[in-house]
Amino acid sequence: MAKYTPTVEVGLDRMRDMARGNFDLSWMDSNPEGWGHKVQRSQAGLKLTDVDHGFYGQVPAQGSSHGTMAPRGCYVPEGTISLDQYTINEMTEIWADNAASLYDEAVVRQWNSVTDVPWEKLKTLPDDMEKAVCQMCTGLAEVEFVAGDMPAKWLCRINHDFHEVKLFLATQIMDEARHLDVFRKRALANGGGLLMASPGQEELLAAILNAPDYATASALMHIFGEGFVLTLFRQGEYLAPTEVEKTIFGLCMQDEARHVAYGVKHLKFLLERQPEREEEIHAILEKGEQAIFSLTLEPQTSEPRAILAGGGLANIELGMMRMAFIYQKQVHEYLQRLKVAGIDRTNRLSIPTEIPYAEIAA
Amino acid sequence: MEQRILFPSSDWFQKLAICMLAQEDEYRRLGPMDCTMVVRVSSPENGDRNFEIVFRAFSVDSVREINDPGDVPPEHFIIEASLQTWQEMIENIREHCGPDLKHTLNFLTFPNDPMRVNGPDQLQTDAFYRYNRSIQQFFNGATDVPTIYN
């Protein structure tokens, strides 16, 4: 009876051959087309966009059918098994022309919540203000990681030939991990704690996670959801009561703007090649609009921001009026981003362009 | 006696560009930025004056005053405000070695008053948000630039 399995025996035979000086070395000439690649470094260092040009920059409209994790541009020996994982094989479904440069930008612009936030500058806030900050952070900690879960859901299904997009989405997952972490940390760091979750937010999160395909999920999340959150981050920086919140929101704002930039360029790429899909996009955006409108007016979402905008609970009404401006800005920027992507939704918007709080209050 | 530099002027922005070079490590930590920013300064005496600052990676590639408004590049964003607003921001930065909570670029631009950020489209305007901390750091260089205003 053989001491080892046939697989191990084959390996040992190969080693015996090598011990006799019979090396294969066929791998050395396996990819003549890809050999001798010239690279010019950018001022910032060696970027993905610096190496992915020429032979290695050719992105196939249809991802390769071998279904392996072999890096695009290498030689894949016949008989290599398919992993049978990839269901997203069309470039149009995921591609954005800025994915590689956004990846380069993302990896350099990483930060961490341990040492990059000046936690030592936290100071005791009046109770109403601390509660408002904590509630805002509770809401953001709840919503942020959907932008990690959504790409994670699709990542292993994306053909490995589209590594630029896969790498970018991986940075996004890390970004969102950091956002969840930093908002939760802020809520717990100053003598307060987490407050109330938001049923309205869960509806929006469900719509993103249950979207029928990647392209619609991306339109809903990257452009709509993250676009609205980007404005909230800008507002968070604006309302920040201390240097700590100022830093947190400033850092998160940069990350979120990268995600939005990918989403806009992806949708543009998709619709330029498959304009017939515009109606699907309108349908998912309408779902998002409905969810965000009810969520915007949920007390646990709107009231803490109004307290911060007004400067305290005593001025919450003033804060509500100031909040109306934020909503108007969110809707305006959302429509403008869609225009860049090639969709005019101005006349199909299913929610008001502004919240007439002052009129209602009067 | 310290030499004061006139704001707005190409010389003033060149001074910030020199400060940027001196802080390359800090800019490397923040991340590279490839973008073109136009600073618009409005005053009753001088009308609108536009200065284009081109950033490449961790430094300023070029600074120029744009004399013909039609020559404003169609890429990225314009930050515009009155001379008085710019002066208040710069002096605040100088006083605190960086802006206080109410004088960051985001604080001043978010309500569209007293500053505004505009791009040819939303994606270009969004570049202001994407590189915000680097752009803030650039203006924080004013800490070391004694300034007079006109």
mmCIF file of all heavy atoms in Angstrom, chain A residues 88-109:
data_model
loop_
_atom_site.group_PDB
_atom_site.id
_atom_site.type_symbol
_atom_site.label_atom_id
_atom_site.label_comp_id
_atom_site.label_asym_id
_atom_site.label_seq_id
_atom_site.Cartn_x
_atom_site.Cartn_y
_atom_site.Cartn_z
ATOM 1 N N ILE A 88 -21.153 38.326 -11.992
ATOM 2 C CA ILE A 88 -21.103 39.667 -12.599
ATOM 3 C C ILE A 88 -19.888 39.682 -13.519
ATOM 4 O O ILE A 88 -18.747 39.878 -13.088
ATOM 5 C CB ILE A 88 -21.000 40.767 -11.521
ATOM 6 C CG1 ILE A 88 -22.214 40.685 -10.602
ATOM 7 C CG2 ILE A 88 -20.904 42.142 -12.169
ATOM 8 C CD1 ILE A 88 -22.220 41.695 -9.469
ATOM 9 N N ASN A 89 -20.170 39.430 -14.782
ATOM 10 C CA ASN A 89 -19.088 39.272 -15.755
ATOM 11 C C ASN A 89 -19.065 40.375 -16.800
ATOM 12 O O ASN A 89 -18.170 40.415 -17.630
ATOM 13 C CB ASN A 89 -19.201 37.906 -16.437
ATOM 14 C CG ASN A 89 -18.972 36.773 -15.444
ATOM 15 O OD1 ASN A 89 -17.935 36.706 -14.797
ATOM 16 N ND2 ASN A 89 -19.961 35.909 -15.284
ATOM 17 N N GLU A 90 -20.080 41.244 -16.757
ATOM 18 C CA GLU A 90 -20.126 42.333 -17.738
ATOM 19 C C GLU A 90 -19.564 43.597 -17.127
ATOM 20 O O GLU A 90 -19.988 44.032 -16.049
ATOM 21 C CB GLU A 90 -21.569 42.597 -18.164
ATOM 22 C CG GLU A 90 -22.031 41.665 -19.256
ATOM 23 C CD GLU A 90 -23.382 42.089 -19.781
ATOM 24 O OE1 GLU A 90 -23.550 43.287 -20.093
ATOM 25 O OE2 GLU A 90 -24.266 41.219 -19.849
ATOM 26 N N MET A 91 -18.660 44.197 -17.877
ATOM 27 C CA MET A 91 -18.019 45.421 -17.406
ATOM 28 C C MET A 91 -19.039 46.510 -17.085
ATOM 29 O O MET A 91 -18.902 47.245 -16.093
ATOM 30 C CB MET A 91 -17.071 45.885 -18.511
ATOM 31 C CG MET A 91 -16.218 47.062 -18.180
ATOM 32 S SD MET A 91 -15.378 47.568 -19.699
ATOM 33 C CE MET A 91 -14.239 48.774 -19.077
ATOM 34 N N THR A 92 -20.064 46.633 -17.926
ATOM 35 C CA THR A 92 -21.043 47.715 -17.746
ATOM 36 C C THR A 92 -21.722 47.661 -16.378
ATOM 37 O O THR A 92 -22.142 48.678 -15.849
ATOM 38 C CB THR A 92 -22.168 47.661 -18.802
ATOM 39 O OG1 THR A 92 -22.590 46.309 -18.909
ATOM 40 C CG2 THR A 92 -21.699 48.168 -20.142
ATOM 41 N N GLU A 93 -21.825 46.469 -15.819
ATOM 42 C CA GLU A 93 -22.565 46.303 -14.572
ATOM 43 C C GLU A 93 -21.862 46.975 -13.386
ATOM 44 O O GLU A 93 -22.519 47.388 -12.424
ATOM 45 C CB GLU A 93 -22.739 44.797 -14.313
ATOM 46 C CG GLU A 93 -23.716 44.417 -13.224
ATOM 47 C CD GLU A 93 -25.172 44.738 -13.545
ATOM 48 O OE1 GLU A 93 -25.492 45.019 -14.716
ATOM 49 O OE2 GLU A 93 -25.977 44.741 -12.603
ATOM 50 N N ILE A 94 -20.547 47.090 -13.460
ATOM 51 C CA ILE A 94 -19.810 47.585 -12.283
ATOM 52 C C ILE A 94 -18.800 48.694 -12.574
ATOM 53 O O ILE A 94 -18.335 49.367 -11.658
ATOM 54 C CB ILE A 94 -19.032 46.441 -11.579
ATOM 55 C CG1 ILE A 94 -18.316 45.533 -12.588
ATOM 56 C CG2 ILE A 94 -19.947 45.586 -10.754
ATOM 57 C CD1 ILE A 94 -17.038 46.017 -13.046
ATOM 58 N N TRP A 95 -18.446 48.877 -13.848
ATOM 59 C CA TRP A 95 -17.289 49.711 -14.166
ATOM 60 C C TRP A 95 -17.542 51.205 -13.954
ATOM 61 O O TRP A 95 -18.658 51.706 -14.145
ATOM 62 C CB TRP A 95 -16.853 49.481 -15.610
ATOM 63 C CG TRP A 95 -15.520 50.109 -15.912
ATOM 64 C CD1 TRP A 95 -15.289 51.255 -16.609
ATOM 65 C CD2 TRP A 95 -14.249 49.618 -15.502
ATOM 66 N NE1 TRP A 95 -13.945 51.510 -16.650
ATOM 67 C CE2 TRP A 95 -13.275 50.530 -15.971
ATOM 68 C CE3 TRP A 95 -13.824 48.508 -14.759
ATOM 69 C CZ2 TRP A 95 -11.911 50.356 -15.742
ATOM 70 C CZ3 TRP A 95 -12.474 48.334 -14.526
ATOM 71 C CH2 TRP A 95 -11.531 49.255 -15.019
ATOM 72 N N ALA A 96 -16.486 51.900 -13.563
ATOM 73 C CA ALA A 96 -16.471 53.367 -13.562
ATOM 74 C C ALA A 96 -15.070 53.772 -13.985
ATOM 75 O O ALA A 96 -14.093 53.185 -13.513
ATOM 76 C CB ALA A 96 -16.783 53.912 -12.175
ATOM 77 N N ASP A 97 -14.978 54.762 -14.852
ATOM 78 C CA ASP A 97 -13.655 55.151 -15.369
ATOM 79 C C ASP A 97 -12.727 55.700 -14.280
ATOM 80 O O ASP A 97 -11.520 55.730 -14.473
ATOM 81 C CB ASP A 97 -13.806 56.197 -16.486
ATOM 82 C CG ASP A 97 -14.342 55.557 -17.754
ATOM 83 O OD1 ASP A 97 -14.133 54.331 -17.931
ATOM 84 O OD2 ASP A 97 -14.972 56.259 -18.565
ATOM 85 N N ASN A 98 -13.310 56.138 -13.175
ATOM 86 C CA ASN A 98 -12.468 56.698 -12.119
ATOM 87 C C ASN A 98 -12.154 55.685 -11.010
ATOM 88 O O ASN A 98 -11.557 56.050 -9.997
ATOM 89 C CB ASN A 98 -13.132 57.947 -11.511
ATOM 90 C CG ASN A 98 -14.519 57.657 -10.948
ATOM 91 O OD1 ASN A 98 -14.996 56.526 -11.030
ATOM 92 N ND2 ASN A 98 -15.159 58.660 -10.386
ATOM 93 N N ALA A 99 -12.536 54.413 -11.195
ATOM 94 C CA ALA A 99 -12.370 53.439 -10.099
ATOM 95 C C ALA A 99 -10.906 53.298 -9.682
ATOM 96 O O ALA A 99 -10.591 53.290 -8.485
ATOM 97 C CB ALA A 99 -12.937 52.082 -10.508
ATOM 98 N N ALA A 100 -9.998 53.198 -10.663
ATOM 99 C CA ALA A 100 -8.580 52.999 -10.317
ATOM 100 C C ALA A 100 -8.020 54.220 -9.604
ATOM 101 O O ALA A 100 -7.324 54.092 -8.586
ATOM 102 C CB ALA A 100 -7.780 52.706 -11.582
ATOM 103 N N SER A 101 -8.328 55.418 -10.110
ATOM 104 C CA SER A 101 -7.764 56.611 -9.463
ATOM 105 C C SER A 101 -8.392 56.827 -8.085
ATOM 106 O O SER A 101 -7.722 57.292 -7.152
ATOM 107 C CB SER A 101 -7.909 57.842 -10.352
ATOM 108 O OG SER A 101 -9.248 58.048 -10.660
ATOM 109 N N LEU A 102 -9.662 56.470 -7.938
ATOM 110 C CA LEU A 102 -10.282 56.587 -6.608
ATOM 111 C C LEU A 102 -9.663 55.593 -5.628
ATOM 112 O O LEU A 102 -9.529 55.875 -4.431
ATOM 113 C CB LEU A 102 -11.795 56.378 -6.697
ATOM 114 C CG LEU A 102 -12.581 57.528 -7.336
ATOM 115 C CD1 LEU A 102 -14.034 57.111 -7.564
ATOM 116 C CD2 LEU A 102 -12.529 58.787 -6.477
ATOM 117 N N TYR A 103 -9.282 54.416 -6.150
ATOM 118 C CA TYR A 103 -8.600 53.443 -5.290
ATOM 119 C C TYR A 103 -7.269 54.031 -4.807
ATOM 120 O O TYR A 103 -6.950 53.997 -3.615
ATOM 121 C CB TYR A 103 -8.373 52.124 -6.038
ATOM 122 C CG TYR A 103 -7.449 51.195 -5.294
ATOM 123 C CD1 TYR A 103 -7.894 50.503 -4.168
ATOM 124 C CD2 TYR A 103 -6.119 51.031 -5.674
ATOM 125 C CE1 TYR A 103 -7.039 49.674 -3.449
ATOM 126 C CE2 TYR A 103 -5.263 50.207 -4.967
ATOM 127 C CZ TYR A 103 -5.727 49.531 -3.855
ATOM 128 O OH TYR A 103 -4.877 48.726 -3.140
ATOM 129 N N ASP A 104 -6.507 54.575 -5.762
ATOM 130 C CA ASP A 104 -5.224 55.192 -5.395
ATOM 131 C C ASP A 104 -5.431 56.266 -4.328
ATOM 132 O O ASP A 104 -4.688 56.366 -3.355
ATOM 133 C CB ASP A 104 -4.566 55.836 -6.631
ATOM 134 C CG ASP A 104 -3.987 54.796 -7.590
ATOM 135 O OD1 ASP A 104 -3.521 53.748 -7.114
ATOM 136 O OD2 ASP A 104 -4.009 55.043 -8.808
ATOM 137 N N GLU A 105 -6.455 57.074 -4.553
ATOM 138 C CA GLU A 105 -6.751 58.167 -3.617
ATOM 139 C C GLU A 105 -7.145 57.597 -2.249
ATOM 140 O O GLU A 105 -6.696 58.087 -1.207
ATOM 141 C CB GLU A 105 -7.904 58.991 -4.203
ATOM 142 C CG GLU A 105 -8.145 60.301 -3.518
ATOM 143 C CD GLU A 105 -9.208 61.092 -4.281
ATOM 144 O OE1 GLU A 105 -9.081 61.264 -5.514
ATOM 145 O OE2 GLU A 105 -10.186 61.513 -3.648
ATOM 146 N N ALA A 106 -7.958 56.547 -2.272
ATOM 147 C CA ALA A 106 -8.473 55.978 -1.021
ATOM 148 C C ALA A 106 -7.358 55.376 -0.169
ATOM 149 O O ALA A 106 -7.326 55.576 1.047
ATOM 150 C CB ALA A 106 -9.534 54.921 -1.325
ATOM 151 N N VAL A 107 -6.459 54.636 -0.810
ATOM 152 C CA VAL A 107 -5.447 53.957 0.013
ATOM 153 C C VAL A 107 -4.498 54.956 0.666
ATOM 154 O O VAL A 107 -3.973 54.707 1.744
ATOM 155 C CB VAL A 107 -4.652 52.880 -0.769
ATOM 156 C CG1 VAL A 107 -5.531 51.691 -1.075
ATOM 157 C CG2 VAL A 107 -4.037 53.424 -2.034
ATOM 158 N N VAL A 108 -4.286 56.099 0.011
ATOM 159 C CA VAL A 108 -3.399 57.083 0.631
ATOM 160 C C VAL A 108 -4.146 57.899 1.677
ATOM 161 O O VAL A 108 -3.579 58.338 2.669
ATOM 162 C CB VAL A 108 -2.779 58.010 -0.431
ATOM 163 C CG1 VAL A 108 -1.746 58.932 0.200
ATOM 164 C CG2 VAL A 108 -2.112 57.198 -1.516
ATOM 165 N N ARG A 109 -5.433 58.097 1.473
ATOM 166 C CA ARG A 109 -6.203 58.946 2.391
ATOM 167 C C ARG A 109 -6.848 58.160 3.542
ATOM 168 O O ARG A 109 -7.805 58.637 4.144
ATOM 169 C CB ARG A 109 -7.260 59.731 1.608
ATOM 170 C CG ARG A 109 -6.646 60.864 0.808
ATOM 171 C CD ARG A 109 -7.638 61.771 0.149
ATOM 172 N NE ARG A 109 -6.936 62.890 -0.458
ATOM 173 C CZ ARG A 109 -6.745 64.061 0.130
ATOM 174 N NH1 ARG A 109 -7.232 64.284 1.318
ATOM 175 N NH2 ARG A 109 -6.072 65.011 -0.484
#
